[in-house]
Amino acid sequence: QQDAKILYFDFTPRLIFIWDESGQARGWMLNPSVRSYGFTSGSSGGLIIVSWGNTDVAWYSTNNASQGLNQSGTTYNYVAIG
């Protein structure tokens, strides 16, 4: 997917949590699941398609940039557990 986002690690990620600069939870991904959800304020969320590598994860939204964790002007933070 052209608009896929990718995170790289020095280990195999198993669980990733993502939140925005205001501290609002925006999404999570569980390896080896290929589907997850991204959330926007006041929204029930949208489907995210996930692809796992040995030391990376890529994803894209089937809906919009905000639910795909790629909203312009927004800083995202994450924690990954391997």
Side-chain angles (χ1 to χ4, degrees):
Q1 184 70 18
Q2 261 187 335
D3 65 344
K5 280 64 68 187
I6 303 173
L7 292 174
Y8 297 95
F9 302 95
D10 293 332
F11 58 92
T12 301
R14 297 292 179 204
L15 178 63
I16 300 172
F17 294 102
I18 301 175
W19 64 96
D20 68 17
E21 57 208 359
S22 70
Q24 296 291 314
R26 294 295 175 214
W28 55 270
M29 298 170 225
L30 179 63
N31 189 350
S33 178
V34 295
R35 294 179 185 210
S36 190
Y37 288 90
F39 303 96
T40 58
S41 297
S43 171
S44 60
L47 185 63
I48 297 173
I49 305 301
V50 183
S51 175
W52 297 93
N54 285 334
T55 58
D56 61 64
V57 60
W59 71 92
Y60 67 92
S61 172
T62 58
N63 196 6
N64 60 48
S66 180
Q67 290 177 349
L69 313 173
N70 194 35
Q71 183 67 38
S72 177
T74 300
T75 299
Y76 295 92
N77 303 287
Y78 63 90
V79 63
I81 300 169

